[in-house]
Amino acid sequence: MKKLVLFASGAGSNADNIIRHFNKTRTAEVVAVFTNKPDAGVVRIAENHGIEVVVSAKSDLENGSAFADVNRFRPDLIVLAGFLLKFPTDIIRAYPDKIINIHPALLPKYGGKGMYGMNVHNAILQNKDAETGISIHYVNENYDEGAVIFQEKVGVSDCDSPEQIAARVQILEHEHFPLIIEHLLK
Ligand code: GRF
């Protein structure tokens, strides 16, 4: 069975959705969830599913210890689902085209430093954009600049809060992310 390693820093709704998907399809297995935040929602989610949690602090990402931990799991794909720290170069170099990220906007718009979570949705609201969406892309050494694998749009011209935009984007994330992962593993 193909092995997936997830990286997440937040609530973990995408991690939960991915784990549930592969529990059902049995086409791959989530073997570990890495996080830099031991109190993040995603930790409880992984534990509830009986999945090993590896807490990698910023220093562990920088000093090679996260790299060693990842290698232990021999992943076929590494999935960043709301992981907020810079991803380590040693892992990127060792897993070419095997690391993907989901970004809550239509890259290259609203990517780069500081563009995460509500910052993205706020910017979309302020600019009165009529649509936004999701981008699933490869992770390379320049954040948010790896090749785009998949994008999907959603209209937001009637939204008047960033939370409303976030909710629409999250629906797209949950609908598509597991399927794109499955496709990449084939
Ligand atoms: C998602 O919107 C994802 O696109 C972004 O961070 C959010 C994570 O949400 N990179 P969750 O922790 O999966 O609920």
Side-chain angles (χ1 to χ4, degrees), residues 10-15 81-83 101-104 117 121 169-170 173-174:
S13 75
N14 278 282
F83 187 66
N101 179 45
I102 191 159
H103 188 78
H121 307 311
V169 167
Q170 191 184 57
E173 294 185 335
H174 291 183

Side-chain angles (χ1 to χ4, degrees), residues 31-95:
V31 291
V33 173
F34 280 63
T35 187
N36 58 306
K37 285 197 170 178
D39 57 347
V42 71
V43 170
R44 174 70 68 80
I45 285 171
E47 285 171 354
N48 285 345
H49 285 291
I51 293 170
E52 185 169 344
V53 174
V54 181
V55 177
S56 295
K58 193 163 181 276
S59 56
D60 298 319
L61 295 162
E62 288 165 357
N63 68 18
S65 107
F67 179 37
D69 281 328
V70 165
N71 288 336
R72 191 156 66 77
F73 294 100
R74 303 187 168 279
D76 296 287
L77 195 67
I78 298 170
V79 175
L80 277 52
F83 187 66
L84 293 180
L85 294 185
K86 190 171 179 338
F87 204 68
T89 308
D90 47 9
I91 306 181
I92 293 173
R93 291 195 178 143
Y95 292 88

Side-chain angles (χ1 to χ4, degrees), residues 61-178:
L61 295 162
E62 288 165 357
N63 68 18
S65 107
F67 179 37
D69 281 328
V70 165
N71 288 336
R72 191 156 66 77
F73 294 100
R74 303 187 168 279
D76 296 287
L77 195 67
I78 298 170
V79 175
L80 277 52
F83 187 66
L84 293 180
L85 294 185
K86 190 171 179 338
F87 204 68
T89 308
D90 47 9
I91 306 181
I92 293 173
R93 291 195 178 143
Y95 292 88
D97 295 335
K98 296 254 180 291
I99 310 171
I100 64 169
N101 179 45
I102 191 159
H103 188 78
L106 297 168
L107 291 173
K109 285 175 86 177
Y110 304 106
K113 208 170 155 51
M115 276 297 150
Y116 59 87
M118 284 299 166
N119 295 352
V120 174
H121 307 311
N122 261 318
I124 286 170
L125 195 64
Q126 261 152 32
N127 293 340
K128 300 188 169 43
D129 284 12
E131 59 180 22
T132 183
I134 60 168
S135 303
I136 297 170
H137 65 93
Y138 288 110
V139 173
N140 67 16
E141 290 173 41
N142 301 321
Y143 226 64
D144 291 338
E145 288 178 22
V148 170
I149 301 163
F150 175 86
Q151 289 184 312
E152 182 70 286
K153 293 176 184 170
V154 63
V156 291
S157 50
D158 59 328
C159 288
D160 43 32
S161 75
E163 289 78 14
Q164 231 180 327
I165 298 177
R168 287 191 193 174
V169 167
Q170 191 184 57
I171 289 170
L172 293 183
E173 294 185 335
H174 291 183
E175 185 179 343
H176 295 287
F177 206 11

